[in-house]
Amino acid sequence: MKDYYAILGVVPSAEDVVIRAAWKALAQRYHPDRFAGDAAVAHARMADINEAYNVLSDPIQRKAYDKSRGEKEGDFGDWVHEEESYQASNSSDPLER
């Protein structure tokens, strides 16, 4: 199962406005018309971002998703998005680490 919270880079207890802001920022970053990298990567990322937002922005779907996550609900250990953590670890800026 995909971790929609990790895809959007938010904690499981995030409010709706935080989820929307994360979706909007990622959509601007990975939109195929704006993404500097491979278009196939941008399309795949946008599909994941939109899927995550569609589930987490709907209260009924989010509740069902949280229930299906089971014991992971409230677990903040893996909420950091993989790409951002990779970029931060390879950054020379100490504030990004």
Side-chain angles (χ1 to χ4, degrees), residues 42-57:
H43 283 287
R45 292 284 303 162
M46 281 302 299
D48 286 344
I49 292 165
N50 287 329
E51 179 182 353
Y53 179 71
N54 287 335
V55 170
L56 297 180
S57 65

Side-chain angles (χ1 to χ4, degrees), residues 71-85:
E71 76 271 357
K72 291 186 77 174
E73 187 172 354
D75 177 17
F76 302 110
D78 62 349
W79 74 272
V80 176
H81 191 274
E82 296 169 6
E83 184 174 331
E84 278 91 16
S85 66

Side-chain angles (χ1 to χ4, degrees), residues 29 32 34-42:
R29 180 177 181 180
R34 297 187 68 189
F35 188 65
D38 185 19
V41 171

